[in-house]
Amino acid sequence: MSSNNPSWEVIWVTGASSGIGRALSVELARVKDCRLILSGRDHERLESLKNEIGQDRACIYAFELTGDAAMEEHVQSVQRLWGRIDRVVLSAGVSQRSFVLDTDFSVYQKIFDINFFSNVRLAKALLPLFLEQGRGAFHVVSSVVGKFGTPWRSAYSASKHALHGFFDSLRAEVYNKNIKVQIICPGFVNTQISYNALNEHGEKTGVLDKAQAHGLSAEAFAMQMVRKMFSTKQEVFIGGGKERFGLFLKRFFPEFFASFVARSKVR
Ligand SMILES: NC(=O)c1ccc[n+]([C@@H]2O[C@H](COP(=O)([O-])OP(=O)(O)OC[C@H]3O[C@@H](n4cnc5c(N)ncnc54)[C@H](OP(=O)(O)O)[C@@H]3O)[C@@H](O)[C@H]2O)c1
């Protein structure tokens, strides 16, 4: 299935089986001349997404991000599907709903493994290819809680903050190498994220939070994200007024922000 046709871009999306990654893949196929590689773990959902997008526009590469296989092998396999990789969207991730006091230490390790270390491993495995091609783009899905912490999210927020440190450093290292590093910070988006979020013992909560249910639809989010992906912005926020207000307060009125976030309904 490989091709050297340069007219379209090859975009690899992790977390494509659900929520933001899924909606983004549909939107990219709708508005951009691209070929997609859809990653996640749930093969059935990836297959249904591929059918929706079109067999000639998308390939599936299902894998466990925290698995034992070398990430270099995954990158080589993905590259073979369409002959190259022009962009990667790192959307796979897992959230948390538990207080610090109650949370097992293993939950911190698990959330960092998925949200941070797997993305570091993937970026390190993909970077040599981008350098060899002389172009490439990393689109990293962080969160508003990558910019500030809230109750119930200590592990999740810390893992997203860590992404900013790593990818900001990477951007500085590849600044003049035609490699883009963009971080996207979503506010509340109505997906399965809270349902799949881990509790204090690392089990799925299985609950759709009110804040999530009232968030942006994944489709509306994806429309905005596709526009930003092809802009020159290095960090973008996409979300509602309350989350935007939080970012503003944290930056300009940090003392007031502390009492605001302590009272905020984040579930
Ligand atoms: N929704 C929000 O309000 C919100 C807000 C801020 C940031 N975000 C971020 O947006 C990204 C997407 O979240 P979402 O809302 O779309 O949540 P979601 O509906 O729960 O989707 C999560 C995706 O991540 C994949 N994934 C999770 N663990 C994985 C693993 N170990 N290996 C491979 N794939 C794995 C899942 O694949 P399978 O289902 O196939 O296992 C699924 O495709 C996440 O990084 C999240 O932190 C979301």
Side-chain angles (χ1 to χ4, degrees):
M1 200 172 304
S2 92
S3 166
N4 288 321
N5 182 347
S7 73
W8 34 257
E9 286 198 356
V10 178
I11 308 178
W12 180 16
V13 182
T14 73
S17 54
S18 178
I20 288 175
R22 187 185 202 287
L24 186 81
S25 302
V26 171
E27 184 63 10
L28 281 166
R30 191 178 74 82
V31 301
K32 293 286 172 191
D33 190 12
C34 63
R35 300 294 180 272
L36 292 159
I37 296 135
L38 311 170
S39 286
R41 292 172 298 188
D42 190 316
H43 207 279
E44 216 170 287
R45 278 192 272 125
L46 290 171
E47 198 64 51
S48 115
L49 174 60
K50 180 181 162 183
N51 288 336
E52 186 177 333
I53 288 173
Q55 305 275 343
D56 53 337
R57 302 283 305 279
C59 290
I60 292 173
Y61 187 79
F63 74 114
E64 164 60 62
L65 266 168
T66 62
D68 290 335
M71 201 56 91
E72 288 74 14
E73 285 170 24
H74 290 310
V75 167
Q76 280 165 17
S77 304
V78 167
Q79 185 195 357
R80 280 197 289 272
L81 291 171
W82 294 109
R84 61 177 202 272
I85 304 166
D86 297 304
R87 294 173 190 266
V88 64
V89 178
L90 302 174
S91 188
V94 65
S95 192
Q96 170 207 11
R97 298 293 184 270
S98 58
F99 288 128
V100 173
L101 193 60
D102 308 324
T103 305
D104 298 343
F105 182 67
S106 61
V107 175
Y108 289 87
Q109 291 173 312
K110 196 167 177 181
I111 288 180
F112 262 77
D113 269 351
I114 299 169
N115 292 358
F116 181 66
F117 288 117
S118 69
N119 284 326
V120 171
R121 285 173 68 220
L122 197 154
K124 277 179 62 58
L126 191 51
L127 185 58
L129 176 70
F130 281 178
L131 288 168
E132 193 189 316
Q133 291 177 168
R135 68 176 187 287
F138 294 97
H139 301 276
V140 185
V141 182
S142 171
S143 167
V144 281
V145 303
K147 304 297 286 180
F148 56 70
T150 74
W152 299 90
R153 307 277 201 285
S154 56
Y156 180 63
S157 174
S159 69
K160 295 295 188 179
H161 273 73
L163 283 177
H164 285 252
F166 177 83
F167 282 99
D168 283 351
S169 296
L170 176 62
R171 182 188 302 112
E173 291 180 13
V174 298
Y175 196 72
N176 291 317
K177 298 197 176 350
N178 200 26
I179 296 173
K180 178 178 176 139
V181 180
Q182 182 187 58
I183 303 181
I184 297 98
C185 301
F188 291 114
V189 185
N190 189 356
T191 68
Q192 294 294 302
I193 191 92
S194 69
Y195 189 90
N196 293 327
L198 305 185
N199 68 14
E200 59 271 37
H201 303 306
E203 299 145 350
K204 273 190 191 185
T205 61
V207 174
L208 180 64
D209 288 352
K210 260 197 201 141
Q212 227 68 58
H214 293 127
L216 281 183
S217 72
E219 292 72 26
F221 177 91
M223 284 173 79
Q224 290 193 52
M225 180 161 160
V226 170
R227 280 201 298 276
K228 309 268 180 170
M229 277 175 66
F230 293 84
S231 74
T232 54
K233 296 251 184 262
Q234 293 170 355
E235 187 174 299
V236 297
F237 161 76
I238 304 171
K242 187 178 169 194
E243 300 95 290
R244 189 179 292 280
F245 186 55
L247 288 169
F248 168 81
L249 285 184
K250 169 71 178 173
R251 182 159 179 205
F252 296 107
F253 302 97
E255 306 300 330
F256 181 63
F257 172 81
S259 67
F260 168 81
V261 78
R263 286 180 280 116
S264 289
K265 291 214 172 353
V266 293
R267 293 200 71 178

